[in-house]
Amino acid sequence: MNKAELTEYIKALDKESDAREGRQYVEVTVLPARLHELAGKIRENEELNFDFLVCITGMDYGQELGVVYHLRSTKHGHELVVKSRTADRQDPHLDSVTDIWKTADFLEREVYDLLGIKFTNHPDLRRLFLDKSWGFPLRKDYVDDINIVTK
Amino acid sequence: MKKEEFRDNESLEQLKESGTNILLTTIDDVINWGRKNSLWPLTFATSCCGIEMMATGGARHDFARFGMEVYRASPRQADVIVVAGTIVNKMAPVLKRLYDQMSEPKYVVAMGACAISGGPFFLNSYCVVKGVEHIIPVDVYVPGCPPRPEALIYGMLQLQRKIETENIKSRRKRNAEHTSE
Amino acid sequence: MEEQVINSVINEEEEYIINMGPQHPSTHGVLRLVVSLKGETVKNVEPHIGYIHRGIEKMCESITYQQIIHLTDRMDYLSAHINNEAVCLAVEKALEIEIPDRIKVIRTIMAELTRIQSHQLFWGTWGMDLGGLTCFFYGFRDREMILDIFEETCGSRMIVSYNCPGGLMYDIHPNFQKRVKDFIKYFRKTLPEYDQLLTGNVIFRERTIGIGRLSLEDAISYGITGPSGRASGFSCDIRKHEPYSAYDRVKFTEVLYSDGDTYHRYLARMQEMRESMDIIEQLIDNIPEGPYAVKMKPVIKLPEGEYYQKVETARGELGVYIVSDGNKNPYRVKFRSPNFVNLSVLNHIARDFKIADLVAIGGSLDLVIPDIDR
């Protein structure tokens, strides 16, 4: 499917999410509560069949924290971007998609380690690169006076 | 490089302690000759400099002709540790533990810009140790990013020259310095 | 006395845990594996990483786009050219610059030489891990010829920052074409030696055939790309699906097997070396004339938005995701590294094999640890 058809199909599939054509890929913004349901639907649906989760990126939007999923379908060849954000900076929670794509195991651990976003129902959420007491370096308000020079 | 041409290396000259008596000098020479010609390195490579260290051990720039015949996997059996690659905060206690497990006499060569001073990761990195000398005492620094195999061989030859100038008194003093750290 | 003997027999059934620590001759870098064993059978492998985590993604937020090239070199240092190409393509696509043909062809030739050089190192070090020390010397001897070519043109052997946004740093050396053609002629004669040493060897085949099988569904679900995924039948070669640079004008086959065990991951890399030589031969004689770099502004500012570029490195799909807010430093840079994803499948495929097979399986996935930790 090309980008226009894909946008229409997803709008028809899930009325509450916001699908639009970006510069490169079709982008779908979804609320955290509906994330897991949408992920299951786009994996199981025969026309869409997004079975390859390429990348999970954690983002700090300034006021909110969010995640960006890049997905691809090995059968049809189309690609999709799913975004989700939460305004809670003290204790952010999102649903884990480890039961849908097994690669999310390590990728979500990395997002937790560097940004502090917790994923519910993750089989083993531990810090990956850094120690337990380290802060969350990729946040924009991470302060390290010794090492990082801010202009 | 001829032995005389090392003369303008001032720091090496300063290493030479004033003499001991004749019998001990000859024993010193023999011991130092044995030690410098059979330095066995430890297999320790964290990142890109490790590949250049392996290439130095390859067939073209052969390391074994200078005495670095085998790489020992266990620190208890190794003489020299060539720190090749970046050291980060998580790896620093591991490196210190490996260094403590090595038995005297032991030497350290800091290879590459990352081991000397943090290298390209000096600015704005939150978890890189800026130079391995914060953790263990270094004998020879080999600059480069990564240093060519010929540069590493030059660095090891400098280490051999340094070993040649040791005598029993200075060795004992150095061993005492190592254990107190 | 007899009660003590019976007690010790019962304790044999318990699991015990050993540590293949960060400093280990066969982990190819600083990877720590905590292995649970029952006897000699592996029950669980847990990788602990972070021993070379340098914070590259955070550093990229405070430097310019041209300076990111020097950091991407040092991530997966065995595909240095291809890593640089990914960032350059992302920046050029965002600024919508048209790249002349000469640059595309030279970038492709350099990328394929990098791929051959990386597989030669894989062959050398993996053969050494399995016990054949000769492989190490053969692999490194032949790799030196490619490093000489890099040194003459780019200035450095391994960490080359040759691609830059807008083209190349310098033009190719006049000797370049002749040296590459000599290398290909030499290597085509030498590659059968590699097969004689390892591929037909009885000990090697016993150690690798049927070990560490990865099925196609698991390869897609775990996201394993590169030769490891293609050996399981996962058709994921970006050079075929979404060609970039000069890959749309060369003919080559994507190397796919369906068995997915260690032996076929090895065979996939050997065959890829032959395909790379075919690609270079098609391009080396007709390098088009033209400029070697497009004139760019000294300060690069990408328009606001998000850009994702993927390339095929020697180990899988590298993705560069740049989020820009219009300034001269990027807002967020994320590298989707192939080795990070390939590591996560080690636990799944090494279960119920012996501990000696763990070395063979871990080596066949061809991991470069600084790329995992970035």
Side-chain angles (χ1 to χ4, degrees):
Chain A
M1 287 194 229
N2 64 15
K3 273 165 50 172
E5 290 168 15
L6 196 54
T7 323
E8 291 310 314
Y9 196 93
I10 294 185
K11 274 197 190 137
L13 184 67
D14 194 53
K15 309 274 185 309
E16 286 181 20
S17 55
D18 175 29
R20 68 171 74 120
E21 274 186 56
R23 183 192 313 221
Q24 229 179 336
Y25 303 127
V26 175
E27 300 178 10
V28 178
T29 313
V30 67
L31 290 173
R34 309 240 17 225
L35 177 63
H36 193 265
E37 200 188 314
L38 177 67
K41 272 195 219 164
I42 56 180
R43 168 90 197 281
E44 301 300 328
N45 187 306
E46 280 305 316
E47 298 286 313
L48 296 178
N49 199 224
F50 283 107
D51 51 354
F52 180 23
L53 173 60
V54 178
C55 177
I56 301 183
T57 311
M59 288 282 303
D60 183 348
Y61 292 104
Q63 304 291 335
E64 300 165 310
L65 294 170
V67 215
V68 177
Y69 297 81
H70 279 81
L71 297 144
R72 193 180 306 158
S73 164
T74 51
K75 209 160 85 173
H76 303 289
H78 42 234
E79 307 196 18
L80 185 68
V81 173
V82 176
K83 297 188 190 180
S84 175
R85 37 171 109 180
T86 164
D88 183 3
R89 283 187 79 100
Q90 297 305 111
D91 191 21
H93 280 271
L94 283 173
D95 277 332
S96 165
V97 292
T98 322
D99 47 346
I100 307 177
W101 297 287
K102 291 195 198 131
T103 181
D105 190 353
F106 265 43
L107 291 168
E108 284 174 357
R109 272 179 77 180
E110 182 195 352
V111 173
Y112 168 58
D113 190 21
L114 293 173
L115 275 156
I117 300 176
K118 292 205 174 74
F119 291 90
T120 53
N121 301 329
H122 192 278
D124 182 22
L125 195 66
R126 283 176 292 155
R127 301 204 68 160
L128 201 60
F129 300 133
L130 302 167
D131 294 334
K132 275 197 271 247
S133 55
W134 207 287
F136 300 117
L138 242 52
R139 288 201 185 184
K140 295 290 172 185
D141 50 4
Y142 176 72
V143 172
D144 183 352
D145 289 322
I146 308 173
N147 289 326
I148 298 194
V149 172
T150 42
K151 299 198 188 104
Chain B
M1 217 174 159
K2 293 205 198 65
K3 220 167 164 171
E4 298 80 52
E5 288 174 21
F6 269 95
R7 220 177 298 133
D8 54 357
N9 202 329
E10 304 160 354
S11 46
L12 265 184
E13 297 301 314
Q14 284 170 3
L15 282 175
K16 282 201 170 100
E17 310 267 332
S18 52
T20 53
N21 66 40
I22 303 287
L23 189 60
L24 284 179
T25 318
T26 325
I27 293 182
D28 270 342
D29 280 342
V30 170
I31 293 177
N32 288 338
W33 172 86
R35 276 187 191 152
K36 77 172 188 185
N37 280 333
S38 73
L39 283 169
W40 284 358
L42 177 70
T43 54
F44 185 83
T46 40
S47 60
C48 355
C49 284
I51 304 290
E52 288 292 51
M53 189 166 74
M54 291 203 296
T56 317
R60 189 183 194 184
H61 323 269
D62 188 12
F63 226 8
R65 56 191 161 136
F66 298 108
M68 272 64 114
E69 177 65 38
V70 277
Y71 277 79
R72 304 307 293 174
S74 159
R76 300 252 185 231
Q77 300 167 358
D79 293 315
V80 65
I81 178 168
V82 180
V83 182
T86 325
I87 300 293
V88 297
N89 285 356
K90 198 168 176 181
M91 190 67 190
V94 178
L95 177 60
K96 180 85 176 105
R97 206 181 306 149
L98 282 174
Y99 181 72
D100 287 339
Q101 279 182 339
M102 286 166 74
S103 47
E104 294 290 348
K106 56 190 174 185
Y107 306 95
V108 176
V109 174
M111 173 184 178
C114 290
I116 296 179
S117 71
F121 306 100
F122 182 82
L123 199 59
N124 286 342
S125 170
Y126 49 85
C127 59
V128 165
V129 174
K130 308 214 189 313
V132 78
E133 66 195 6
H134 291 288
I135 306 173
I136 54 183
V138 178
D139 288 307
V140 175
Y141 297 88
V142 182
C145 190
R148 287 197 55 124
E150 286 93 341
L152 180 62
I153 292 178
Y154 181 72
M156 295 308 265
L157 289 180
Q158 285 284 63
L159 180 63
Q160 288 183 348
R161 300 283 298 139
K162 192 174 176 185
I163 295 176
E164 235 181 311
T165 64
E166 286 182 349
N167 60 29
I168 298 183
K169 266 200 290 193
S170 69
R171 188 71 238 175
R172 265 209 208 125
K173 195 165 75 155
R174 201 156 164 257
N175 289 0
E177 271 170 33
H178 284 171
T179 47
S180 66
E181 273 160 21
Chain C
M1 199 59 180
E2 280 171 25
E3 295 96 51
Q4 286 171 353
V5 167
I6 293 172
N7 279 342
S8 59
V9 165
I10 292 174
N11 284 342
E12 263 178 32
E13 293 300 314
E14 285 176 5
E15 286 190 11
Y16 61 96
I17 299 182
I18 68 169
N19 177 42
M20 284 174 74
Q23 186 257 342
H24 193 275
S26 72
T27 50
H28 296 284
V30 276
L31 173 67
R32 179 175 172 216
L33 296 174
V34 178
V35 187
S36 301
L37 296 171
K38 206 169 203 172
E40 267 205 34
T41 317
V42 173
K43 286 295 166 201
N44 192 33
V45 177
E46 201 188 299
H48 286 246
I49 55 183
Y51 289 96
I52 186 83
H53 175 66
R54 300 176 275 203
I56 291 184
E57 290 181 1
K58 181 80 180 176
M59 280 174 78
C60 285
E61 291 172 12
S62 53
I63 54 180
T64 63
Y65 290 95
Q66 291 104 326
Q67 288 171 324
I68 295 182
I69 305 290
H70 298 278
L71 286 183
T72 52
D73 259 328
R74 289 157 172 89
M75 276 185 342
D76 178 2
Y77 39 80
L78 295 173
S79 319
H81 267 116
I82 311 177
N83 290 359
N84 290 346
E85 200 177 348
V87 177
C88 295
L89 287 173
V91 169
E92 285 155 10
K93 213 159 53 166
L95 293 173
E96 286 165 15
I97 299 176
E98 188 58 43
I99 296 291
D101 274 349
R102 182 180 174 85
I103 299 176
K104 287 187 184 168
V105 170
I106 295 179
R107 276 183 180 170
T108 311
I109 298 178
M110 288 295 191
E112 292 308 311
L113 282 174
T114 311
R115 200 181 310 273
I116 297 179
Q117 169 268 137
S118 168
H119 290 329
Q120 279 173 332
L121 191 137
F122 155 78
W123 187 84
T125 51
W126 193 46
M128 185 170 71
D129 282 346
L130 293 178
L133 196 55
T134 315
C135 304
F136 175 76
F137 292 109
Y138 277 37
F140 273 77
R141 172 199 70 186
D142 296 328
R143 189 172 167 254
E144 292 286 334
M145 291 189 71
I146 299 188
L147 295 183
D148 278 344
I149 298 175
F150 283 167
E151 188 183 3
E152 204 175 25
T153 305
C154 318
S156 163
R157 282 153 54 100
M158 196 172 70
I159 306 288
V160 291
S161 305
Y162 189 50
N163 293 330
C164 63
L168 309 167
M169 285 279 215
Y170 335 97
D171 207 352
I172 52 173
H173 198 269
N175 277 347
F176 181 70
Q177 278 166 307
K178 176 173 173 311
R179 283 186 97 139
V180 172
K181 286 205 274 230
D182 285 343
F183 167 72
I184 296 209
K185 210 163 63 177
Y186 164 79
F187 196 53
R188 277 204 199 275
K189 281 204 307 269
T190 328
L191 200 49
E193 275 179 22
Y194 288 27
D195 281 327
Q196 279 172 357
L197 266 182
L198 271 193
T199 314
N201 191 329
V202 160
I203 301 178
F204 175 73
R205 290 170 80 103
E206 289 288 312
R207 273 192 86 162
T208 53
I209 292 186
I211 308 286
R213 219 172 268 275
L214 179 69
S215 65
L216 176 57
E217 296 81 37
D218 279 337
I220 300 180
S221 184
Y222 278 100
I224 311 293
T225 50
S228 313
R230 291 199 275 280
S232 302
F234 179 19
S235 164
C236 56
D237 198 339
I238 295 170
R239 300 174 289 169
K240 281 282 187 198
H241 291 293
E242 284 191 35
Y244 53 94
S245 290
Y247 285 112
D248 44 2
R249 54 183 104 161
V250 291
K251 288 204 219 358
F252 65 102
T253 47
E254 188 180 351
V255 178
L256 282 175
Y257 296 101
S258 58
D259 280 21
D261 59 2
T262 310
Y263 184 64
H264 286 90
R265 286 196 278 274
Y266 160 80
L267 281 184
R269 293 193 169 93
M270 300 300 279
Q271 188 59 27
E272 263 192 19
M273 277 205 267
R274 296 188 185 98
E275 296 292 330
S276 290
M277 287 202 281
D278 284 341
I279 295 179
I280 299 180
E281 263 179 354
Q282 289 172 40
L283 289 175
I284 190 68
D285 280 319
N286 318 316
I287 301 183
E289 297 297 325
Y292 65 88
V294 170
K295 192 109 178 55
M296 304 262 288
K297 296 204 189 80
V299 176
I300 297 182
K301 289 188 184 171
L302 295 193
E304 238 179 280
E306 307 169 358
Y307 312 95
Y308 186 81
Q309 174 68 37
K310 42 188 182 308
V311 294
E312 177 79 17
T313 67
R315 282 161 186 82
E317 169 188 336
L318 172 77
V320 176
Y321 178 58
I322 301 181
V323 178
S324 159
D325 58 352
N327 288 335
K328 64 179 167 96
N329 304 331
Y331 186 75
R332 168 91 164 104
V333 176
K334 158 90 177 165
F335 297 103
R336 186 261 182 208
S337 86
N339 292 290
F340 184 67
V341 182
N342 287 2
L343 174 67
S344 55
V345 84
L346 182 62
N347 188 9
H348 179 73
I349 58 176
R351 285 218 171 153
D352 294 329
F353 286 106
K354 301 283 184 284
I355 179 116
D357 296 326
L358 183 62
V359 173
I361 296 172
S364 79
L365 287 174
D366 199 10
L367 301 168
V368 167
I369 313 298
D371 196 26
I372 297 181
D373 292 348
R374 273 162 278 129

